Amino acid sequence: MLNFRNTNIFFLIVLAIFIPFQIKAGLSILWYLLILFLYLSLLFYGSYYVCSGFFMRVLCKGNTLEKQIAITFDDGPMENYTPQILDILKSFGVQAAFFCIGERAKENIQLLKRIHQEGHDIGSHSFSHSFWYDLLPANKMLSDLQKTHQLVLSELGITLKWFRPPYGVTNPNLRKAVSTMGYSTIGWSVRSLDTVQKDSGKLFGKMKIKLKPGAVYLFHDTSQSTAEMLPMFLEFVKEQEYEVVSLHKLLHLPD
């Protein structure tokens, strides 16, 4: 399996073999640059493809052949669209998972409580979700995660167990912080890019062709196109005889 540890071992072996050969044969130093490029390319792949499991174990889809999917929302709660999305979910009798940003949850405590009261799963999406989050040292990441953890514990009386990385970026520092918190890391199998796609019709067309057993959809409860598309999508799912189940049920996560 391709991961950070195995990659490092492989390239150390490559260098151990190549260096004596390079010295003896007098090969160009550019070969070292090529090896470095290949190594950094693998690190980039592992960092930005969340489901690669390169740095840490990430759950991205359900292991099932049944017509079941889960839908998740990132970056909320927000006054603009979270209430509308909650109303839609309630009207369809659907449970979703909300990966909340701690700062926004703190500003919208009543929405956080409503998410919990209506039976939806809640996970951490960090406290700050800063642009430079993935460059923070492990202790700063841990401190950030603890803020959201304590906020949810004090306001809802529940202990967070699931985490979704900001921007879907993983690295060794994040692995250390998440491991310390004892979280399961959650990815996705269908990325809607709904913060970019502003046309709800086009978004719906893209989402319906991705429907398959075990799919985990990533949406944002901060997007107007998602709020407009969601009823169409849930109706389509129903017509296709699929069931939207809670994330913890689809991924067999402990309650």
Side-chain angles (χ1 to χ4, degrees):
M1 178 180 177
L2 182 65
N3 58 38
F4 185 50
R5 180 176 180 275
N6 292 342
T7 297
N8 286 337
I9 292 173
F10 173 77
F11 276 93
L12 285 174
I13 293 173
V14 168
L15 287 175
I17 296 173
F18 178 75
I19 290 174
F21 180 76
Q22 185 269 334
I23 294 173
K24 183 176 181 180
L27 298 177
S28 171
I29 197 170
L30 291 178
W31 282 97
Y32 289 104
L33 295 179
L34 176 61
I35 293 172
L36 178 62
F37 173 77
L38 293 174
Y39 177 72
L40 293 178
S41 296
L42 284 174
L43 295 190
F44 181 86
Y45 160 79
S47 295
Y48 287 91
Y49 180 48
V50 69
C51 293
S52 68
F54 190 80
F55 292 107
M56 54 204 294
R57 182 171 182 258
V58 182
L59 302 173
C60 293
K61 61 182 179 180
N63 183 20
T64 181
L65 296 177
E66 295 185 47
K67 287 188 170 184
Q68 295 180 335
I69 65 168
I71 58 176
T72 68
F73 297 90
D74 284 7
D75 291 0
M78 294 281 283
E79 289 185 358
N80 286 346
Y81 302 111
T82 305
Q84 184 179 351
I85 286 171
L86 286 171
D87 288 342
I88 295 168
L89 294 174
K90 189 174 184 179
S91 70
F92 279 87
V94 165
Q95 287 186 322
F98 289 79
F99 288 90
C100 300
I101 296 176
E103 281 185 332
R104 291 179 174 174
K106 187 176 181 180
E107 295 170 357
N108 298 280
I109 290 297
Q110 292 308 311
L111 279 178
L112 179 68
K113 290 181 177 179
R114 181 182 171 187
I115 291 170
H116 176 56
Q117 289 166 357
E118 296 186 2
H120 303 291
D121 290 334
I122 296 177
S124 173
H125 198 36
S126 81
F127 187 83
S128 62
H129 201 292
S130 69
F131 182 78
W132 304 108
Y133 189 85
D134 52 298
L135 298 180
L136 294 175
N139 65 321
K140 294 292 185 181
M141 288 181 172
L142 179 60
S143 176
D144 180 275
L145 294 180
Q146 288 171 334
K147 288 181 181 179
T148 300
H149 192 92
Q150 290 302 317
L151 173 69
V152 173
L153 181 61
S154 63
E155 294 293 341
L156 303 182
I158 63 173
T159 301
L160 291 177
K161 299 177 181 177
W162 312 315
F163 170 73
R164 176 170 281 163
Y167 312 108
V169 175
T170 60
N171 57 42
N173 288 342
L174 183 65
R175 178 188 61 193
K176 184 176 180 180
V178 170
S179 177
T180 301
M181 294 300 296
Y183 289 158
S184 295
T185 305
I186 310 298
W188 57 82
S189 61
V190 181
R191 189 172 193 170
S192 65
L193 296 176
D194 52 351
T195 57
V196 177
Q197 178 55 261
K198 304 302 183 182
D199 186 313
S200 59
K202 290 181 179 179
L203 180 61
F204 170 59
K206 178 182 175 183
M207 292 300 96
K208 70 179 184 179
I209 64 174
K210 301 288 187 178
L211 187 64
K212 63 175 60 176
V216 174
Y217 280 79
L218 166 60
F219 298 119
H220 294 80
D221 53 321
T222 58
S223 169
Q224 181 177 348
S225 59
T226 297
E228 293 173 352
M229 176 278 306
L230 190 58
M232 294 185 288
F233 177 71
L234 292 177
E235 190 62 45
F236 174 76
V237 169
K238 184 178 179 181
E239 290 172 356
Q240 300 303 307
E241 299 182 344
Y242 272 75
E243 180 187 10
V244 180
V245 300
S246 62
L247 183 69
H248 74 264
K249 179 179 179 180
L250 185 70
L251 300 182
H252 304 291
L253 299 168
D255 292 336

